[in-house]
Amino acid sequence: RSSRTMKQVHDIQHIQTLDIGKSPSSQGDNWKSFKLLFHGFMDLSTKKEHVIESPTFSCNGHEWFLRMYPGGTTDAKNGRVSMYLCCVGSESDGLSFKVSILDKFGREYCRKTCEYFFRCNGRGWPDFIHLDTILDESCQILDSNGTLAVIVSIKAEPAAPFIPKNPFPKMMRGIFLNEESADVCFELFSNTACTFRVCSPVLTCFF
């Protein structure tokens, strides 16, 4: 009986939901979210410019990571936590993203949204939140293990449609240049060739 029950659970895990029509949850913009857990936050250094970097995550064809400064950057006011979203190795033309801090119950405590033309050095906020707010037990942000939960949400851009290269011009050129298959022969003088270049770019590629 137990093995049959385990198999049922295994089968359920492989069920895929298919929507017919547009589901209510798909209305509006499509955002891809990533949950980052900063364990032992209360023990992190609060020295200016001390940075903690998250593992990378993928969205819109790019790799991203979050930089968090528990003691803030040099541009931050004293006692503020700084956060910046960074792109790995390349630049993104434009991006909308949100960063949220959750309380220990998984509820959103605060959120900030940005829309930038992105550069690999990152975009974000030098004064995201007061450090004392996070450490204040009455705010119930850190869990019992001192873990800070952060959600990064990136607006997903639709993928460009794949358009295969049309092989027809190359095939026709091969046919025309093959003496056995070609049924037309062109003999061009220099001035005629110039005319083709101006008037018929398609035929020009055969010469």
Side-chain angles (χ1 to χ4, degrees):
R1 181 178 179 181
S2 60
S3 61
R4 183 165 57 251
T5 302
M6 289 298 294
K7 186 177 187 305
Q8 290 174 350
V9 173
H10 178 76
D11 291 341
I12 290 174
Q13 291 175 345
H14 287 78
I15 291 177
Q16 182 179 3
T17 300
L18 303 178
D19 292 313
I20 294 86
K22 194 168 186 179
S23 66
S25 61
S26 66
Q27 301 288 339
D29 296 331
N30 183 23
W31 294 78
K32 191 172 183 180
S33 297
F34 306 87
K35 187 175 184 179
L36 310 176
L37 299 177
F38 293 89
H39 300 288
F41 179 86
M42 62 179 58
D43 298 324
L44 297 178
S45 172
T46 56
K47 183 180 179 181
K48 285 274 189 180
E49 291 295 328
H50 176 70
V51 62
I52 305 296
E53 294 184 350
S54 76
T56 58
F57 43 91
S58 300
C59 188
N60 295 341
H62 295 276
E63 295 290 317
W64 308 91
F65 64 95
L66 186 71
R67 277 186 180 145
M68 182 180 65
Y69 300 79
T73 62
T74 54
D75 297 329
K77 297 177 182 178
N78 290 333
R80 305 296 175 91
V81 178
S82 305
M83 290 195 188
Y84 295 88
L85 183 63
C86 303
C87 185
V88 178
S90 59
E91 298 180 354
S92 174
D93 294 335
L95 184 74
S96 297
F97 69 97
K98 300 180 286 189
V99 177
S100 305
I101 288 181
L102 305 182
D103 65 17
K104 65 181 182 181
F105 305 106
R107 299 172 303 200
E108 188 177 76
Y109 186 87
C110 67
R111 177 180 63 188
K112 293 193 176 183
T113 304
C114 276
E115 185 168 352
Y116 279 114
F117 284 97
F118 228 87
R119 297 296 178 263
C120 56
N121 61 341
R123 297 294 185 200
W125 306 268
D127 304 314
F128 189 89
I129 190 174
H130 284 275
L131 177 61
D132 289 343
T133 301
I134 297 177
L135 300 178
D136 189 345
E137 293 185 2
S138 66
C139 294
Q140 299 183 318
I141 294 178
L142 300 181
D143 66 10
S144 58
N145 297 317
T147 299
L148 175 67
V150 178
I151 299 289
V152 177
S153 300
I154 300 176
K155 185 177 179 180
E157 301 296 337
F162 172 70
I163 303 178
K165 189 174 181 179
N166 188 353
F168 181 75
K170 185 176 180 180
M171 294 170 54
M172 293 303 300
R173 180 176 183 179
I175 293 174
F176 287 145
L177 295 180
N178 189 320
E179 293 183 0
E180 296 182 358
S181 58
D183 55 0
V184 177
C185 177
F186 292 95
E187 292 185 6
L188 302 179
F189 298 100
S190 59
N191 59 340
T192 309
C194 291
T195 303
F196 269 111
R197 291 191 186 97
V198 175
C199 301
S200 182
V202 176
L203 291 178
T204 301
C205 68
F206 296 132
F207 305 102

